[in-house]
Amino acid sequence: MQHIPAGEPQILIDLSTAIIGTDAGIFQCRLVEDATDTQPGRLPFGPFVPDQHRTMEIGLRQWVGEQVGVALGHVEQLYTFADRGRQNTTPGAPHVVSVGYLALTNQTGRQTRAWRDIYSFFPWEDWREGEPSMLADIIYPALDSWLAQHSERRESARLAFGRDGLAWGEEYVLERYELLYEAGLVAEAFADGRENAAPTPAVPGEPLQLDHRRILATAVGRLRAKLKYRPVIFDLMPLTFTLTQLQHTAETVLGVGLHKQNFRRLVEKSGFVEATGKMSKSRGRPAELFRFRHQERSERPLAGLRVSPGRLRPSDPSP
Amino acid sequence: MQHIPAGEPQILIDLSTAIIGTDAGIFQCRLVEDATDTQPGRLPFGPFVPDQHRTMEIGLRQWVGEQVGVALGHVEQLYTFADRGRQNTTPGAPHVVSVGYLALTNQTGRQTRAWRDIYSFFPWEDWREGEPSMLADIIYPALDSWLAQHSERRESARLAFGRDGLAWGEEYVLERYELLYEAGLVAEAFADGRENAAPTPAVPGEPLQLDHRRILATAVGRLRAKLKYRPVIFDLMPLTFTLTQLQHTAETVLGVGLHKQNFRRLVEKSGFVEATGKMSKSRGRPAELFRFRHQERSERPLAGLRVSPGRLRPSDPSP
DNA sequence: CCATTTATGCTCAAATTGAGTATAATATCA
DNA sequence: TGATATTATACTCAATTTGAGCATAAATGG
């Protein structure tokens, strides 16, 4: 019953991992440091070799270990991308299918060529200081003129960007990036040879190699959505932390400001944290240090951290 | 920077689709009708052929069209499985990676060899008449004796099955099936040559070919989870329906009974449905017929149908 | 000591949820 | 025909959750 195709070009599976962490209000992703100045950055990645890798996760851990050497906490498969024209398309080369993974870590380094601010790739996603002006100034005009020719994508654009009355859904990161790509407004669209794309991208935001910005967008979208129903945020925290630090991490990931007192009430009631009795020393009144209660992960697995931004507010500056 | 492996066995990607529908309280999945009496059933599937299929979804639509000819509504990628030993392992054969898809349809047929009751594959998942007795009678004893040797899996089992005080999470369908597989309690474990598996499976439930029961479990888990935050349930409904029919569909998918008045309140308030003015004719008082408001899909995309079972109750019998 | 900064406690109204009770409109059958 | 079963729908009520804001506490730096 199997239809084995004869003489087809070989399929190669690439395992690419978006390693995400936060550091003092910066939303970071780990890139490989081999990029030259003229070439965009890239995620750690490498091929899935069934003979060496019993599972894909074993494979990705090998490439991550060799290329960036970061200790991974939570790891999860995101999506398998296989559409033609979004990877290397050298004639005769094997068809590349890329499987994207998300990995979380609490071991980030300060801003370097290695650890990069995620919002430099998606500047329109950071609403902590309110709606980014580039949306109204650059993105919406450019998108609208493309939509004029592609009315079938109108509804998707409305939903993704929360236009005319709809709310901005912070988890639609991939949907937004894909629309900009389709509309030829990001650098990758030109690199992939799409005809409607200009050599100089219309929309600000740093590109990445291959389809890595797409994978990163998938990772951010998944993480933002998951934060609300699973306690994944603690994988981004150090062993002990103040509730303000926890809130800043949540705000950094979600890209919105949150109501302080309500966030505190939510976290305390959730049972996911317990006080250590120690205090942090910073500028104002010292804050109590908390730790994550690992047992709770199983006792209330569905509760998660249902943070709700409510009406947007600017978040306090990080210490 | 690419590590191209030389002379490795070829990789073959299989696209398998779980097509799900409901019919009068039966939770159905479409199988291919070529199964003999001695062989387990299978999902429609076939290889991804990059030269013919611009995207994987195009590929799967081809195989579904050829093998079962069902019109698909919502289609979504589930997961890519690549671990060794869960597919055909003939020596020298290409390594098979399988990409699972979920498809919803409102065109089911009555119980035949083609349309099969999903709960016959996962009888422990149907709690509409209360907790299935097979859990306490068969599954828990068998699982516990395996856990005695594998204490590292204790926590996962507690979470997946909601043991000692934890709640049964209806979306952990895959996690439960995988534990039963690992413990050697389902037929596929023996078929895959796992040493701890007995030729006669310890736990009731029909097997499927290859890893298709795993893919179906993923599909059911994803669908149950998604029901709560996206209006996917309407892809399972006919053009017009009564609120009771809608509730029965939700109960069928979730495998639990719901509070009738509260379900009605939830649905009406959601704005996803509108009355048609027509009435259904059945046994008791006629019910108003509703239709899905497609525009609402974009106006309140996040609301979905947050059905909450509350305390378990037996669901009313379907008409 | 006073202004500033940060943390934490508390209140309050609105909205949502969980669980019922009550009533309405049909079919069925004695 | 009229009682009875069956199904649908309306309405109530308390408990909980959410969104927003006010007030107070504990540090630091002049």
Side-chain angles (χ1 to χ4, degrees), chain B residues 244 260-261 264 283-288:
Chain B
T244 300
K260 189 165 188 164
Q261 297 90 326
R264 156 178 282 281
R283 204 128 49 120
R285 171 175 170 175
E288 180 134 40

PDB file of all heavy atoms in Angstrom, chain B residues 244 260-261 264 283-288, chain D residues 5-14:
ATOM      1  N   THR B 244     -28.868  21.919  21.646  1.00  0.00           N
ATOM      2  CA  THR B 244     -28.655  20.597  22.232  1.00  0.00           C
ATOM      3  C   THR B 244     -27.726  19.762  21.353  1.00  0.00           C
ATOM      4  O   THR B 244     -26.836  19.068  21.853  1.00  0.00           O
ATOM      5  CB  THR B 244     -29.997  19.879  22.422  1.00  0.00           C
ATOM      6  OG1 THR B 244     -30.796  20.676  23.291  1.00  0.00           O
ATOM      7  CG2 THR B 244     -29.788  18.509  23.035  1.00  0.00           C
ATOM      8  N   LYS B 260     -26.378  21.736  31.020  1.00  0.00           N
ATOM      9  CA  LYS B 260     -27.138  22.197  29.855  1.00  0.00           C
ATOM     10  C   LYS B 260     -27.408  23.704  29.859  1.00  0.00           C
ATOM     11  O   LYS B 260     -27.129  24.407  28.882  1.00  0.00           O
ATOM     12  CB  LYS B 260     -28.471  21.457  29.831  1.00  0.00           C
ATOM     13  CG  LYS B 260     -29.275  21.674  28.582  1.00  0.00           C
ATOM     14  CD  LYS B 260     -30.365  20.623  28.506  1.00  0.00           C
ATOM     15  CE  LYS B 260     -31.074  20.678  27.169  1.00  0.00           C
ATOM     16  NZ  LYS B 260     -31.849  19.449  26.952  1.00  0.00           N
ATOM     17  N   GLN B 261     -27.953  24.203  30.951  1.00  0.00           N
ATOM     18  CA  GLN B 261     -28.310  25.618  30.975  1.00  0.00           C
ATOM     19  C   GLN B 261     -27.084  26.518  30.850  1.00  0.00           C
ATOM     20  O   GLN B 261     -27.122  27.555  30.197  1.00  0.00           O
ATOM     21  CB  GLN B 261     -29.058  25.952  32.266  1.00  0.00           C
ATOM     22  CG  GLN B 261     -30.381  25.231  32.445  1.00  0.00           C
ATOM     23  CD  GLN B 261     -30.222  23.905  33.166  1.00  0.00           C
ATOM     24  OE1 GLN B 261     -29.221  23.218  33.005  1.00  0.00           O
ATOM     25  NE2 GLN B 261     -31.221  23.530  33.956  1.00  0.00           N
ATOM     26  N   ARG B 264     -25.716  26.548  27.262  1.00  0.00           N
ATOM     27  CA  ARG B 264     -26.571  27.418  26.449  1.00  0.00           C
ATOM     28  C   ARG B 264     -26.242  28.889  26.681  1.00  0.00           C
ATOM     29  O   ARG B 264     -26.085  29.672  25.738  1.00  0.00           O
ATOM     30  CB  ARG B 264     -27.994  27.071  26.873  1.00  0.00           C
ATOM     31  CG  ARG B 264     -29.075  28.047  26.684  1.00  0.00           C
ATOM     32  CD  ARG B 264     -30.361  27.387  27.146  1.00  0.00           C
ATOM     33  NE  ARG B 264     -30.811  26.487  26.106  1.00  0.00           N
ATOM     34  CZ  ARG B 264     -31.443  26.895  25.017  1.00  0.00           C
ATOM     35  NH1 ARG B 264     -31.667  28.176  24.823  1.00  0.00           N
ATOM     36  NH2 ARG B 264     -31.839  26.044  24.117  1.00  0.00           N
ATOM     37  N   ARG B 283     -38.649  14.809  19.581  1.00  0.00           N
ATOM     38  CA  ARG B 283     -39.634  14.195  20.458  1.00  0.00           C
ATOM     39  C   ARG B 283     -40.380  15.212  21.328  1.00  0.00           C
ATOM     40  O   ARG B 283     -41.583  15.285  21.288  1.00  0.00           O
ATOM     41  CB  ARG B 283     -38.984  13.126  21.325  1.00  0.00           C
ATOM     42  CG  ARG B 283     -39.985  12.104  21.804  1.00  0.00           C
ATOM     43  CD  ARG B 283     -39.527  10.724  21.511  1.00  0.00           C
ATOM     44  NE  ARG B 283     -38.154  10.549  21.963  1.00  0.00           N
ATOM     45  CZ  ARG B 283     -37.782   9.659  22.854  1.00  0.00           C
ATOM     46  NH1 ARG B 283     -38.664   8.860  23.376  1.00  0.00           N
ATOM     47  NH2 ARG B 283     -36.531   9.537  23.189  1.00  0.00           N
ATOM     48  N   GLY B 284     -39.618  15.971  22.128  1.00  0.00           N
ATOM     49  CA  GLY B 284     -40.271  16.886  23.068  1.00  0.00           C
ATOM     50  C   GLY B 284     -40.583  18.225  22.446  1.00  0.00           C
ATOM     51  O   GLY B 284     -40.987  18.314  21.282  1.00  0.00           O
ATOM     52  N   ARG B 285     -40.353  19.252  23.219  1.00  0.00           N
ATOM     53  CA  ARG B 285     -40.585  20.610  22.736  1.00  0.00           C
ATOM     54  C   ARG B 285     -39.632  20.914  21.584  1.00  0.00           C
ATOM     55  O   ARG B 285     -38.463  20.577  21.650  1.00  0.00           O
ATOM     56  CB  ARG B 285     -40.357  21.577  23.889  1.00  0.00           C
ATOM     57  CG  ARG B 285     -40.353  23.017  23.485  1.00  0.00           C
ATOM     58  CD  ARG B 285     -40.249  23.898  24.699  1.00  0.00           C
ATOM     59  NE  ARG B 285     -40.011  25.282  24.334  1.00  0.00           N
ATOM     60  CZ  ARG B 285     -39.967  26.273  25.205  1.00  0.00           C
ATOM     61  NH1 ARG B 285     -40.127  26.026  26.510  1.00  0.00           N
ATOM     62  NH2 ARG B 285     -39.760  27.487  24.805  1.00  0.00           N
ATOM     63  N   PRO B 286     -40.111  21.530  20.525  1.00  0.00           N
ATOM     64  CA  PRO B 286     -39.221  21.823  19.391  1.00  0.00           C
ATOM     65  C   PRO B 286     -38.148  22.818  19.810  1.00  0.00           C
ATOM     66  O   PRO B 286     -38.398  23.695  20.643  1.00  0.00           O
ATOM     67  CB  PRO B 286     -40.152  22.449  18.355  1.00  0.00           C
ATOM     68  CG  PRO B 286     -41.528  22.275  18.850  1.00  0.00           C
ATOM     69  CD  PRO B 286     -41.459  22.046  20.325  1.00  0.00           C
ATOM     70  N   ALA B 287     -36.985  22.668  19.217  1.00  0.00           N
ATOM     71  CA  ALA B 287     -35.873  23.548  19.567  1.00  0.00           C
ATOM     72  C   ALA B 287     -35.583  24.496  18.421  1.00  0.00           C
ATOM     73  O   ALA B 287     -35.774  24.167  17.254  1.00  0.00           O
ATOM     74  CB  ALA B 287     -34.627  22.727  19.872  1.00  0.00           C
ATOM     75  N   GLU B 288     -35.112  25.662  18.766  1.00  0.00           N
ATOM     76  CA  GLU B 288     -34.761  26.640  17.751  1.00  0.00           C
ATOM     77  C   GLU B 288     -33.510  26.185  16.998  1.00  0.00           C
ATOM     78  O   GLU B 288     -32.567  25.646  17.603  1.00  0.00           O
ATOM     79  CB  GLU B 288     -34.500  27.988  18.424  1.00  0.00           C
ATOM     80  CG  GLU B 288     -34.117  29.077  17.455  1.00  0.00           C
ATOM     81  CD  GLU B 288     -34.882  30.365  17.723  1.00  0.00           C
ATOM     82  OE1 GLU B 288     -35.061  30.710  18.906  1.00  0.00           O
ATOM     83  OE2 GLU B 288     -35.310  31.007  16.737  1.00  0.00           O
TER      84      GLU B 288
ATOM     85  P    DA D   5     -44.682   9.872  33.762  1.00  0.00           P
ATOM     86  OP1  DA D   5     -44.517   8.641  34.557  1.00  0.00           O
ATOM     87  OP2  DA D   5     -44.542  11.201  34.396  1.00  0.00           O
ATOM     88  O5'  DA D   5     -43.660   9.803  32.538  1.00  0.00           O
ATOM     89  C5'  DA D   5     -43.993   9.020  31.384  1.00  0.00           C
ATOM     90  C4'  DA D   5     -43.307   9.600  30.174  1.00  0.00           C
ATOM     91  O4'  DA D   5     -44.006  10.787  29.728  1.00  0.00           O
ATOM     92  C3'  DA D   5     -41.853  10.025  30.433  1.00  0.00           C
ATOM     93  O3'  DA D   5     -41.069   9.519  29.371  1.00  0.00           O
ATOM     94  C2'  DA D   5     -41.909  11.554  30.427  1.00  0.00           C
ATOM     95  C1'  DA D   5     -43.053  11.809  29.456  1.00  0.00           C
ATOM     96  N9   DA D   5     -43.725  13.103  29.634  1.00  0.00           N
ATOM     97  C8   DA D   5     -44.227  13.636  30.794  1.00  0.00           C
ATOM     98  N7   DA D   5     -44.780  14.815  30.641  1.00  0.00           N
ATOM     99  C5   DA D   5     -44.639  15.069  29.286  1.00  0.00           C
ATOM    100  C6   DA D   5     -45.014  16.156  28.490  1.00  0.00           C
ATOM    101  N6   DA D   5     -45.649  17.235  28.944  1.00  0.00           N
ATOM    102  N1   DA D   5     -44.718  16.088  27.170  1.00  0.00           N
ATOM    103  C2   DA D   5     -44.077  15.015  26.700  1.00  0.00           C
ATOM    104  N3   DA D   5     -43.676  13.934  27.352  1.00  0.00           N
ATOM    105  C4   DA D   5     -43.988  14.021  28.653  1.00  0.00           C
ATOM    106  P    DT D   6     -39.479   9.747  29.422  1.00  0.00           P
ATOM    107  OP1  DT D   6     -38.898   8.548  28.807  1.00  0.00           O
ATOM    108  OP2  DT D   6     -39.067  10.194  30.767  1.00  0.00           O
ATOM    109  O5'  DT D   6     -39.284  10.971  28.409  1.00  0.00           O
ATOM    110  C5'  DT D   6     -40.059  11.017  27.220  1.00  0.00           C
ATOM    111  C4'  DT D   6     -39.654  12.247  26.427  1.00  0.00           C
ATOM    112  O4'  DT D   6     -40.514  13.349  26.784  1.00  0.00           O
ATOM    113  C3'  DT D   6     -38.215  12.714  26.689  1.00  0.00           C
ATOM    114  O3'  DT D   6     -37.617  13.012  25.434  1.00  0.00           O
ATOM    115  C2'  DT D   6     -38.401  13.976  27.523  1.00  0.00           C
ATOM    116  C1'  DT D   6     -39.738  14.495  27.006  1.00  0.00           C
ATOM    117  N1   DT D   6     -40.499  15.374  27.940  1.00  0.00           N
ATOM    118  C2   DT D   6     -41.117  16.484  27.424  1.00  0.00           C
ATOM    119  O2   DT D   6     -41.076  16.772  26.248  1.00  0.00           O
ATOM    120  N3   DT D   6     -41.799  17.243  28.339  1.00  0.00           N
ATOM    121  C4   DT D   6     -41.909  17.008  29.705  1.00  0.00           C
ATOM    122  O4   DT D   6     -42.552  17.766  30.427  1.00  0.00           O
ATOM    123  C5   DT D   6     -41.233  15.826  30.176  1.00  0.00           C
ATOM    124  C7   DT D   6     -41.289  15.474  31.641  1.00  0.00           C
ATOM    125  C6   DT D   6     -40.561  15.069  29.284  1.00  0.00           C
ATOM    126  P    DT D   7     -36.006  13.084  25.310  1.00  0.00           P
ATOM    127  OP1  DT D   7     -35.645  12.298  24.123  1.00  0.00           O
ATOM    128  OP2  DT D   7     -35.402  12.839  26.640  1.00  0.00           O
ATOM    129  O5'  DT D   7     -35.768  14.615  24.958  1.00  0.00           O
ATOM    130  C5'  DT D   7     -36.395  15.156  23.813  1.00  0.00           C
ATOM    131  C4'  DT D   7     -36.601  16.616  24.023  1.00  0.00           C
ATOM    132  O4'  DT D   7     -37.454  16.848  25.148  1.00  0.00           O
ATOM    133  C3'  DT D   7     -35.325  17.419  24.320  1.00  0.00           C
ATOM    134  O3'  DT D   7     -35.051  18.201  23.183  1.00  0.00           O
ATOM    135  C2'  DT D   7     -35.683  18.274  25.527  1.00  0.00           C
ATOM    136  C1'  DT D   7     -37.195  18.164  25.580  1.00  0.00           C
ATOM    137  N1   DT D   7     -37.804  18.350  26.908  1.00  0.00           N
ATOM    138  C2   DT D   7     -38.678  19.388  27.081  1.00  0.00           C
ATOM    139  O2   DT D   7     -38.991  20.162  26.187  1.00  0.00           O
ATOM    140  N3   DT D   7     -39.189  19.512  28.343  1.00  0.00           N
ATOM    141  C4   DT D   7     -38.913  18.713  29.429  1.00  0.00           C
ATOM    142  O4   DT D   7     -39.435  18.925  30.515  1.00  0.00           O
ATOM    143  C5   DT D   7     -37.982  17.633  29.188  1.00  0.00           C
ATOM    144  C7   DT D   7     -37.611  16.699  30.310  1.00  0.00           C
ATOM    145  C6   DT D   7     -37.476  17.499  27.952  1.00  0.00           C
ATOM    146  P    DA D   8     -33.881  19.312  23.202  1.00  0.00           P
ATOM    147  OP1  DA D   8     -33.487  19.505  21.807  1.00  0.00           O
ATOM    148  OP2  DA D   8     -32.890  18.997  24.240  1.00  0.00           O
ATOM    149  O5'  DA D   8     -34.681  20.608  23.661  1.00  0.00           O
ATOM    150  C5'  DA D   8     -35.814  21.011  22.909  1.00  0.00           C
ATOM    151  C4'  DA D   8     -36.246  22.392  23.352  1.00  0.00           C
ATOM    152  O4'  DA D   8     -36.847  22.311  24.664  1.00  0.00           O
ATOM    153  C3'  DA D   8     -35.116  23.408  23.461  1.00  0.00           C
ATOM    154  O3'  DA D   8     -35.577  24.585  22.820  1.00  0.00           O
ATOM    155  C2'  DA D   8     -34.920  23.582  24.963  1.00  0.00           C
ATOM    156  C1'  DA D   8     -36.288  23.265  25.530  1.00  0.00           C
ATOM    157  N9   DA D   8     -36.311  22.661  26.868  1.00  0.00           N
ATOM    158  C8   DA D   8     -35.644  21.548  27.297  1.00  0.00           C
ATOM    159  N7   DA D   8     -35.889  21.233  28.549  1.00  0.00           N
ATOM    160  C5   DA D   8     -36.783  22.210  28.972  1.00  0.00           C
ATOM    161  C6   DA D   8     -37.424  22.428  30.215  1.00  0.00           C
ATOM    162  N6   DA D   8     -37.262  21.656  31.278  1.00  0.00           N
ATOM    163  N1   DA D   8     -38.256  23.506  30.286  1.00  0.00           N
ATOM    164  C2   DA D   8     -38.416  24.271  29.205  1.00  0.00           C
ATOM    165  N3   DA D   8     -37.870  24.156  27.996  1.00  0.00           N
ATOM    166  C4   DA D   8     -37.056  23.095  27.951  1.00  0.00           C
ATOM    167  P    DT D   9     -34.609  25.819  22.599  1.00  0.00           P
ATOM    168  OP1  DT D   9     -35.124  26.571  21.448  1.00  0.00           O
ATOM    169  OP2  DT D   9     -33.224  25.361  22.640  1.00  0.00           O
ATOM    170  O5'  DT D   9     -34.895  26.691  23.886  1.00  0.00           O
ATOM    171  C5'  DT D   9     -36.212  27.219  24.063  1.00  0.00           C
ATOM    172  C4'  DT D   9     -36.329  27.866  25.415  1.00  0.00           C
ATOM    173  O4'  DT D   9     -36.261  26.880  26.459  1.00  0.00           O
ATOM    174  C3'  DT D   9     -35.256  28.901  25.743  1.00  0.00           C
ATOM    175  O3'  DT D   9     -35.916  30.127  25.932  1.00  0.00           O
ATOM    176  C2'  DT D   9     -34.614  28.373  27.016  1.00  0.00           C
ATOM    177  C1'  DT D   9     -35.743  27.532  27.585  1.00  0.00           C
ATOM    178  N1   DT D   9     -35.359  26.500  28.562  1.00  0.00           N
ATOM    179  C2   DT D   9     -35.941  26.531  29.814  1.00  0.00           C
ATOM    180  O2   DT D   9     -36.766  27.355  30.150  1.00  0.00           O
ATOM    181  N3   DT D   9     -35.518  25.537  30.668  1.00  0.00           N
ATOM    182  C4   DT D   9     -34.599  24.551  30.402  1.00  0.00           C
ATOM    183  O4   DT D   9     -34.307  23.717  31.259  1.00  0.00           O
ATOM    184  C5   DT D   9     -34.020  24.567  29.079  1.00  0.00           C
ATOM    185  C7   DT D   9     -33.010  23.537  28.671  1.00  0.00           C
ATOM    186  C6   DT D   9     -34.426  25.531  28.227  1.00  0.00           C
ATOM    187  P    DA D  10     -35.122  31.481  26.123  1.00  0.00           P
ATOM    188  OP1  DA D  10     -35.583  32.410  25.075  1.00  0.00           O
ATOM    189  OP2  DA D  10     -33.685  31.196  26.283  1.00  0.00           O
ATOM    190  O5'  DA D  10     -35.693  31.968  27.528  1.00  0.00           O
ATOM    191  C5'  DA D  10     -37.040  31.659  27.902  1.00  0.00           C
ATOM    192  C4'  DA D  10     -37.219  31.976  29.375  1.00  0.00           C
ATOM    193  O4'  DA D  10     -36.851  30.811  30.160  1.00  0.00           O
ATOM    194  C3'  DA D  10     -36.369  33.130  29.877  1.00  0.00           C
ATOM    195  O3'  DA D  10     -37.176  33.974  30.671  1.00  0.00           O
ATOM    196  C2'  DA D  10     -35.276  32.446  30.693  1.00  0.00           C
ATOM    197  C1'  DA D  10     -35.991  31.208  31.210  1.00  0.00           C
ATOM    198  N9   DA D  10     -35.115  30.070  31.486  1.00  0.00           N
ATOM    199  C8   DA D  10     -34.208  29.507  30.637  1.00  0.00           C
ATOM    200  N7   DA D  10     -33.560  28.487  31.157  1.00  0.00           N
ATOM    201  C5   DA D  10     -34.084  28.381  32.437  1.00  0.00           C
ATOM    202  C6   DA D  10     -33.812  27.506  33.499  1.00  0.00           C
ATOM    203  N6   DA D  10     -32.914  26.514  33.436  1.00  0.00           N
ATOM    204  N1   DA D  10     -34.515  27.665  34.649  1.00  0.00           N
ATOM    205  C2   DA D  10     -35.424  28.653  34.713  1.00  0.00           C
ATOM    206  N3   DA D  10     -35.759  29.546  33.782  1.00  0.00           N
ATOM    207  C4   DA D  10     -35.039  29.348  32.654  1.00  0.00           C
ATOM    208  P    DC D  11     -36.638  35.391  31.174  1.00  0.00           P
ATOM    209  OP1  DC D  11     -37.806  36.303  31.054  1.00  0.00           O
ATOM    210  OP2  DC D  11     -35.361  35.701  30.504  1.00  0.00           O
ATOM    211  O5'  DC D  11     -36.340  35.173  32.730  1.00  0.00           O
ATOM    212  C5'  DC D  11     -37.208  34.322  33.505  1.00  0.00           C
ATOM    213  C4'  DC D  11     -36.511  33.937  34.792  1.00  0.00           C
ATOM    214  O4'  DC D  11     -35.688  32.761  34.592  1.00  0.00           O
ATOM    215  C3'  DC D  11     -35.588  35.016  35.369  1.00  0.00           C
ATOM    216  O3'  DC D  11     -36.078  35.381  36.636  1.00  0.00           O
ATOM    217  C2'  DC D  11     -34.209  34.348  35.407  1.00  0.00           C
ATOM    218  C1'  DC D  11     -34.553  32.871  35.424  1.00  0.00           C
ATOM    219  N1   DC D  11     -33.516  31.971  34.863  1.00  0.00           N
ATOM    220  C2   DC D  11     -33.062  30.890  35.639  1.00  0.00           C
ATOM    221  O2   DC D  11     -33.553  30.734  36.768  1.00  0.00           O
ATOM    222  N3   DC D  11     -32.117  30.071  35.150  1.00  0.00           N
ATOM    223  C4   DC D  11     -31.622  30.287  33.916  1.00  0.00           C
ATOM    224  N4   DC D  11     -30.700  29.441  33.463  1.00  0.00           N
ATOM    225  C5   DC D  11     -32.078  31.375  33.098  1.00  0.00           C
ATOM    226  C6   DC D  11     -33.027  32.189  33.612  1.00  0.00           C
ATOM    227  P    DT D  12     -35.331  36.469  37.558  1.00  0.00           P
ATOM    228  OP1  DT D  12     -36.384  37.246  38.238  1.00  0.00           O
ATOM    229  OP2  DT D  12     -34.264  37.155  36.795  1.00  0.00           O
ATOM    230  O5'  DT D  12     -34.627  35.553  38.661  1.00  0.00           O
ATOM    231  C5'  DT D  12     -35.348  34.438  39.210  1.00  0.00           C
ATOM    232  C4'  DT D  12     -34.497  33.767  40.284  1.00  0.00           C
ATOM    233  O4'  DT D  12     -33.580  32.823  39.667  1.00  0.00           O
ATOM    234  C3'  DT D  12     -33.628  34.723  41.104  1.00  0.00           C
ATOM    235  O3'  DT D  12     -33.716  34.326  42.462  1.00  0.00           O
ATOM    236  C2'  DT D  12     -32.229  34.517  40.537  1.00  0.00           C
ATOM    237  C1'  DT D  12     -32.278  33.038  40.168  1.00  0.00           C
ATOM    238  N1   DT D  12     -31.339  32.595  39.117  1.00  0.00           N
ATOM    239  C2   DT D  12     -30.561  31.483  39.346  1.00  0.00           C
ATOM    240  O2   DT D  12     -30.583  30.847  40.380  1.00  0.00           O
ATOM    241  N3   DT D  12     -29.735  31.131  38.314  1.00  0.00           N
ATOM    242  C4   DT D  12     -29.613  31.775  37.082  1.00  0.00           C
ATOM    243  O4   DT D  12     -28.849  31.359  36.229  1.00  0.00           O
ATOM    244  C5   DT D  12     -30.457  32.930  36.907  1.00  0.00           C
ATOM    245  C7   DT D  12     -30.406  33.701  35.622  1.00  0.00           C
ATOM    246  C6   DT D  12     -31.272  33.293  37.920  1.00  0.00           C
ATOM    247  P    DC D  13     -33.337  35.338  43.645  1.00  0.00           P
ATOM    248  OP1  DC D  13     -34.480  35.289  44.578  1.00  0.00           O
ATOM    249  OP2  DC D  13     -32.841  36.616  43.091  1.00  0.00           O
ATOM    250  O5'  DC D  13     -32.099  34.608  44.340  1.00  0.00           O
ATOM    251  C5'  DC D  13     -31.922  33.191  44.203  1.00  0.00           C
ATOM    252  C4'  DC D  13     -30.518  32.844  44.645  1.00  0.00           C
ATOM    253  O4'  DC D  13     -29.766  32.374  43.497  1.00  0.00           O
ATOM    254  C3'  DC D  13     -29.735  34.041  45.194  1.00  0.00           C
ATOM    255  O3'  DC D  13     -28.954  33.608  46.278  1.00  0.00           O
ATOM    256  C2'  DC D  13     -28.882  34.470  44.014  1.00  0.00           C
ATOM    257  C1'  DC D  13     -28.573  33.117  43.392  1.00  0.00           C
ATOM    258  N1   DC D  13     -28.172  33.173  41.963  1.00  0.00           N
ATOM    259  C2   DC D  13     -27.335  32.173  41.441  1.00  0.00           C
ATOM    260  O2   DC D  13     -26.958  31.265  42.198  1.00  0.00           O
ATOM    261  N3   DC D  13     -26.961  32.235  40.149  1.00  0.00           N
ATOM    262  C4   DC D  13     -27.386  33.239  39.378  1.00  0.00           C
ATOM    263  N4   DC D  13     -26.990  33.254  38.108  1.00  0.00           N
ATOM    264  C5   DC D  13     -28.238  34.265  39.878  1.00  0.00           C
ATOM    265  C6   DC D  13     -28.606  34.186  41.164  1.00  0.00           C
ATOM    266  P    DA D  14     -28.272  34.646  47.292  1.00  0.00           P
ATOM    267  OP1  DA D  14     -29.236  34.887  48.384  1.00  0.00           O
ATOM    268  OP2  DA D  14     -27.720  35.791  46.528  1.00  0.00           O
ATOM    269  O5'  DA D  14     -27.060  33.797  47.861  1.00  0.00           O
ATOM    270  C5'  DA D  14     -27.099  32.364  47.812  1.00  0.00           C
ATOM    271  C4'  DA D  14     -25.730  31.851  47.417  1.00  0.00           C
ATOM    272  O4'  DA D  14     -25.558  32.005  45.979  1.00  0.00           O
ATOM    273  C3'  DA D  14     -24.560  32.590  48.071  1.00  0.00           C
ATOM    274  O3'  DA D  14     -23.625  31.618  48.505  1.00  0.00           O
ATOM    275  C2'  DA D  14     -24.027  33.491  46.958  1.00  0.00           C
ATOM    276  C1'  DA D  14     -24.323  32.656  45.718  1.00  0.00           C
ATOM    277  N9   DA D  14     -24.501  33.394  44.470  1.00  0.00           N
ATOM    278  C8   DA D  14     -25.220  34.532  44.258  1.00  0.00           C
ATOM    279  N7   DA D  14     -25.206  34.960  43.018  1.00  0.00           N
ATOM    280  C5   DA D  14     -24.412  34.040  42.365  1.00  0.00           C
ATOM    281  C6   DA D  14     -23.998  33.926  41.033  1.00  0.00           C
ATOM    282  N6   DA D  14     -24.345  34.785  40.063  1.00  0.00           N
ATOM    283  N1   DA D  14     -23.206  32.885  40.714  1.00  0.00           N
ATOM    284  C2   DA D  14     -22.853  32.033  41.677  1.00  0.00           C
ATOM    285  N3   DA D  14     -23.171  32.022  42.962  1.00  0.00           N
ATOM    286  C4   DA D  14     -23.966  33.069  43.244  1.00  0.00           C
TER     287       DA D  14
END
